[in-house]
Amino acid sequence: MFGAHQRADKTSSFLEPHRSISSAIEMTTAASPPPRRRSVSLGVDVGTGSARAGLFDNDGRLLGSSSSQIQIWKDGDCAEQSSTDIWLAICTAVKAACSLANISGEEVTSLGFAATCSLVAVDYDGEPVTVSWSGDTRRNIILWMDHRAVNQAERINSSKSPVLEYCGGAVSPEMQPPKLLWVKENLPESWSMASRWMDLSDWLSYRATGDDTRSLCTTVCKWTYLGHAHMQQTNENDSRDMEALGWDDDFWEKIGLGDLVDGHHSKIGRSVAFPGHALGSGLTPEAAKARKLLNISRLMIFYIQGELGLVAGTPVGTSLIDAHAGGVGVMESVPVSVDSESKEVDEEAISRRMVLVCGTSTCHMVISKTKLFIPGVWGPYWSAMVPQYWLTEGGQSATGALLDYIVENHVASPHLANRAASRSISIFELLNEILESAREELGSPFVAALTNDIHVLPDFHGNRSPIADPISKGMICGLTLDTSEKQLALLYLATVQGIAYGTRHIVEHCNAQGHKIDTLLACGGLTKNSLFIQEHADITGCPIILPRENESVLLGAAILGAVASKKYSTVREAMRALNAAGQVVYPSKDIKVRRYHDAKYRVFRGLYEQQLSHRSMMREALS
């Protein structure tokens, strides 16, 4: 936890004068023409552990970025954060990014937000409302990965409401209705105090503009809002605040949350808009500049609010969930073909691409012009990522987090970490080197074959897709008493493969239900790991395109602001202009590699079947 003195330290930089390029301009002589100001788009992304800011030019090139850590409270299945802490981290990151890139606030012409699909509670004055057993008012966010509401999710799914058809047939405890029901049943005082319940990215745009319009992305993907209620009402080119027609009041009544229908759904959203819609009058003066808030009841300055160091009125676009911003930032990052494609061919091609946003978790997203219902996979969601397209969304709840867990909890990890640090490389780069040495030492035909007797089911935080089993558990087959660094490397490789087999399962399941995925586009922190990407290519059999700019989530967020500023008329137009391809990683052509992974994939699928059998036997024994 952090006390008042620590928070003051964290925000002290906000009290310093903002030095901008405009200061230098004022010092030029009358005979010197003023330098031409750049037009820079700013994207802000709040991930699980940090807030990041990125500045992009008109070609979609990253000019500078910075990040600032954010607090997480974890207790069992509960994971919580503070909206106050997050806003201050954003201010720090934005100012640092501008400073590093030598860009003034006046040059930032637009702003867009992306964030995890976490749940924020605030009262009528916009102050935090606790969602924590602790009663700590700072802890007003239920983090996306929080699984406290498993029982509530099961009860909601038993309602068999028609809206569930549009989220793979069942809500996940990571979605908002189960979390809302949990709060109502367990924290009645907080429930009565809360004036707004918001997805984190919607709260960020609300905090920046004062406009409570919600995004079709957040409401459709995480709140069971039926976005296709607007299919005949409007289109992206003349997007406006749309009255929220897609709430199913019967659903909220049936699951015990009928009070959220009151006031034309004022607590969960009266109006919605396409991603990139211009909000309010842009950035408010309060959000653009610093101001102190005095909490009289506590007789102390509770926090410093504001000071993004930007210009009031800067256009702000309706937000996206972070993974979906990654999709917008990468989906058109394809190599330019020698032969120009017709519009029809291009429209078909984009529907054959699946985006992998690989971070703490991995999201798998594919769009189509037709809606496809796929059991166990979220969606179809209309206009939730790319306006006018249906989105299908698969996912794995623990990927980067799982690799960290596997490595950090091994007895050989501390020594390995020290070795990596002494060489200024990541521990994963060192593990990859150890695997290559082991391949040469053992005469293995290829690195992947080193794990022929180690198999991992990566469901350490449940299975999001395509089985949709939140109580699924992780499994490791093939452990020995060996505690060496080499053995850790093999366990790490088997875990990478298990994650990739999970992706293959999602791709195959989607294709069996009507999609035609043949190309993967990947972004996020895990894509910096060459082994992770190559194993995914070999295991799925799909080429993987990496973007020119790895910060695709930040680019996707920046695109939202660029559309809001009218620099581009649509999100798709902005994607075509600003997305750019980098390296393409192809699957191995060696038939032995394919045969090997086919065999391991069968083992992978069998592990879950074994788990179901074990579950059944133990239930019977305890009945």
Side-chain angles (χ1 to χ4, degrees), residues 18 33 51 218 410 553:
H18 180 71
T218 58
H410 194 279
V553 175

Side-chain angles (χ1 to χ4, degrees), residues 589-607:
K589 295 181 180 179
D590 188 339
I591 188 63
K592 293 180 181 178
V593 173
R594 183 67 183 181
R595 190 162 57 232
Y596 173 81
H597 284 304
D598 285 346
K600 283 208 73 171
Y601 181 61
R602 290 194 294 272
V603 175
F604 166 84
R605 295 289 299 273
L607 288 176

Side-chain angles (χ1 to χ4, degrees), residues 228-244:
H228 50 282
H230 302 283
M231 286 185 72
Q232 306 303 323
Q233 180 186 14
T234 187
N235 60 63
E236 184 189 5
N237 289 317
D238 57 5
S239 179
R240 57 185 175 81
D241 294 349
M242 301 180 291
E243 183 183 353

Side-chain angles (χ1 to χ4, degrees), residues 17 66 70 94 109 132 158-159 179 218 278 287 290 305 392 433 527 560 570 577 588 623:
S66 183
I70 54 180
V94 169
T109 57
S132 173
S158 68
S159 72
K179 291 174 178 175
T218 58
Q305 194 173 21
T392 297
E433 290 180 5
T527 62
L560 300 172
T570 68
S588 172
S623 63

